[in-house]
Amino acid sequence: MRLGGRLQAAIEILGDMDKRECPAAESLKDWGQSHRFAGSSDRAAIGNIVYDALRRRASISWRMESEAVADIAYGALLGDGGLTLEELAAMLAGDRFAPPPLAPSLVAAWQSRKLADAPDVIQADLPQWCVSQFEQLLGTGWAAEGQALGRRPPLDLRANTLRSTPEEVVKAMAGTQAEAVSWFPQAVRIAPVAGLGRHPKVQMEAAFQNGWFEVQDLGSQIVARLCGARAGMQVLDYCAGAGGKTLALAADMENRGQIHACDAANTRLAPIFERLRRAGVHNAQVHTEKTELAALNGRMDLVVVDAPCTGSGTWRRHPDTKWRLTGSQLQHRVAEQQNVLAAAAPFVKTGGRLVYITCSLFYDEDDGQIAHFLARQSGFRLCDMAAIWQAAITQAAAPAPRFTLSGLVLSPHISESDGFYIAVMEKTA
């Protein structure tokens, strides 16, 4: 397919998403199934246009003075797609599958309107109702955080130290331009794609099949390290999901001690069994029924709650969710988190730690949630997150995280990672 056909496909997919109110991945999959002539490079390019348009929807619309999906798709090519108006016109010329060209008024608007002149909420590409949540947690830097969430993400790998070293992973992945992250040795990064390119299919590599690494965002790797899991501990991963943090904790524990992994939904747990086998993890026990956890009450050195959340910290990877999320959905998640924290707390032994994690940058899900918990749980106290950071992240080149009233925040702007929040509490009685 030439660029014109790819652009037209992206416009159709964006329109389908709006019409059906469905996720981007679903609409992209449906389009691919009904257009089997499109190759993998075509689908990757179309996906880039769609996701770029969604990440920058508000700012592109402002610059174009148009909310039409066709105009926003054009804007995606002129932004992260890396094309000038002249280059784009030349590439679409004579392409019978291309959409109609931009109207002169839209071209004039794009050329004359500078994003620096837009309101902060537009520069940040945030829904208006989300601003107060970002501002409460992030302070005056909230707009910069929003802008960073609108950029393309890298592909991060975690070297599995149970089977390999970061150096071995980098060597094995040499053809992918993978590089070690200097200040977090287990992390290996493949830079964001440029133009209409695509990331390599790293899961097809022999190193992945042999358990040398897992695909895991840098922020997720860091918060797993900040949990402080050590060899010999008894650990409960209360919201284990597909097991990404379980695997990281097991590596930190050097396969010694015991990790109990569970989740409220067995469907989310399904991938964990194969992942544990491939990674060579021998100290994890998966519980598919919450009733199996009764014997663990009051015995855990460490309970990790990677709570269900809005995922606002992952908007650069899932930008469609940014525009579908509502305030009522946020409050539903907040209520879920309250219930999960209350249910997990009794498993911590006296002197043990309860770790609360979200991939959200919303105050209500982060500091607000911890304040709610501590107001109702007199037997817990906050730990010093600055001290935990200094003990876990020893490289001098490491960026300073944003410390909040109760925890710390990682984000694309601060740490070049997805957005994560973590707070650590010790059980005192």
Side-chain angles (χ1 to χ4, degrees):
M1 295 175 66
R2 294 173 60 186
L3 180 59
R6 292 171 168 180
L7 176 58
Q8 179 59 37
I11 292 169
E12 292 171 5
I13 291 164
L14 289 165
D16 178 65
M17 289 176 57
D18 283 354
K19 181 179 179 181
R20 293 197 290 149
E21 298 183 349
C22 65
E26 179 181 330
S27 192
L28 283 162
K29 181 181 178 182
D30 290 348
W31 186 92
Q33 289 178 339
S34 61
H35 298 77
R36 294 189 181 276
F37 61 82
S40 59
S41 59
D42 294 320
R43 294 193 298 272
I46 293 164
N48 280 343
I49 299 170
V50 168
Y51 280 101
D52 289 342
L54 293 168
R55 291 188 191 99
R56 304 287 196 185
R57 189 164 196 159
S59 58
I60 293 173
S61 177
W62 184 86
R63 285 196 65 184
M64 285 283 186
E65 295 187 321
S66 171
E67 296 183 357
V69 293
D71 302 331
I72 293 171
Y74 264 103
L77 285 174
L78 295 169
D80 290 309
L83 298 176
T84 65
L85 282 163
E86 294 74 21
E87 290 170 337
L88 183 54
M91 293 177 74
L92 298 180
D95 189 342
R96 64 190 180 92
F97 296 106
L102 282 173
S105 61
L106 300 179
V107 172
W110 183 267
Q111 291 175 319
S112 63
R113 304 194 95 185
K114 305 303 179 187
L115 191 56
D117 299 328
D120 284 347
V121 67
I122 298 297
Q123 293 188 45
D125 272 289
L126 293 179
Q128 180 66 58
W129 74 268
C130 298
V131 170
S132 62
Q133 291 289 331
F134 269 60
E135 193 170 19
Q136 279 184 276
L137 186 72
L138 303 167
T140 57
W142 67 268
E145 300 291 355
Q147 284 184 299
L149 282 171
R151 300 184 189 121
R152 291 181 177 183
L155 178 60
D156 290 339
L157 315 176
R158 178 185 59 81
N160 175 23
T161 53
L162 297 177
R163 289 206 185 277
S164 68
T165 65
E167 293 77 17
E168 289 173 326
V169 172
V170 170
K171 184 177 180 181
M173 302 296 289
T176 67
Q177 286 75 55
E179 295 183 353
V181 176
S182 62
W183 58 273
F184 196 79
Q186 279 67 50
V188 175
R189 169 161 288 180
I190 300 172
V193 296
L196 298 181
R198 57 178 173 172
H199 276 131
K201 295 181 178 179
V202 295
Q203 290 92 337
M204 302 298 292
E205 299 284 340
F208 177 79
Q209 297 297 329
N210 292 330
W212 285 19
F213 68 85
E214 288 288 330
V215 177
Q216 187 176 19
D217 177 74
L218 174 62
S220 181
Q221 296 183 46
I222 294 170
V223 294
R225 176 63 50 80
L226 295 177
C227 289
R230 300 188 302 277
M233 277 187 169
Q234 291 293 311
V235 177
L236 173 58
D237 189 354
Y238 193 71
C239 303
K245 291 186 179 64
T246 302
L247 297 174
L249 295 171
D252 285 346
M253 295 169 68
E254 302 172 351
N255 251 342
R256 291 182 286 159
Q258 186 74 35
I259 302 176
H260 301 270
C262 69
D263 198 276
N266 286 343
T267 53
R268 288 196 291 266
L269 272 175
I272 197 173
F273 299 97
E274 171 58 21
R275 296 181 76 183
L276 291 171
R277 183 204 62 77
R278 187 176 62 246
V281 173
H282 307 304
N283 68 329
Q285 182 176 349
V286 181
H287 300 270
T288 57
E289 299 291 338
K290 284 291 178 72
T291 54
E292 299 173 5
L293 302 179
L296 307 181
N297 195 62
R299 295 176 50 197
M300 296 294 102
D301 298 295
L302 177 65
V303 175
V304 178
V305 177
D306 188 359
C309 68
T310 59
S312 55
T314 67
W315 277 346
R316 59 182 186 165
R317 300 185 192 276
H318 308 289
D320 50 320
T321 62
K322 171 166 56 175
W323 307 110
R324 294 201 312 271
L325 186 67
T326 66
S328 61
Q329 289 171 329
L330 167 60
Q331 294 313 309
H332 175 74
R333 283 302 192 195
V334 168
E336 277 189 299
Q337 292 156 5
Q338 291 171 358
N339 293 335
V340 168
L341 267 175
F347 293 102
V348 186
K349 73 179 186 182
T350 301
R353 290 185 169 185
L354 175 62
V355 179
Y356 176 75
I357 299 168
T358 73
C359 53
S360 172
L361 296 178
F362 284 169
Y363 173 84
D364 284 358
E365 296 187 283
D366 297 339
D367 269 7
Q369 192 64 262
I370 296 301
H372 180 276
F373 175 80
L374 292 175
R376 288 157 178 78
Q377 296 279 347
S378 59
F380 286 85
R381 69 171 182 85
L382 284 170
C383 295
D384 184 343
M385 290 306 303
I388 290 173
W389 175 268
Q390 291 167 5
I393 311 297
T394 58
Q395 299 293 324
R402 183 184 298 275
F403 294 101
T404 67
L405 186 63
S406 301
L408 70 79
V409 171
L410 304 170
S411 71
H413 183 65
I414 296 170
S415 51
E416 297 185 350
S417 71
D418 285 351
F420 278 90
Y421 172 88
I422 180 171
V424 181
M425 295 163 282
E426 181 180 326
K427 189 172 183 177
T428 57

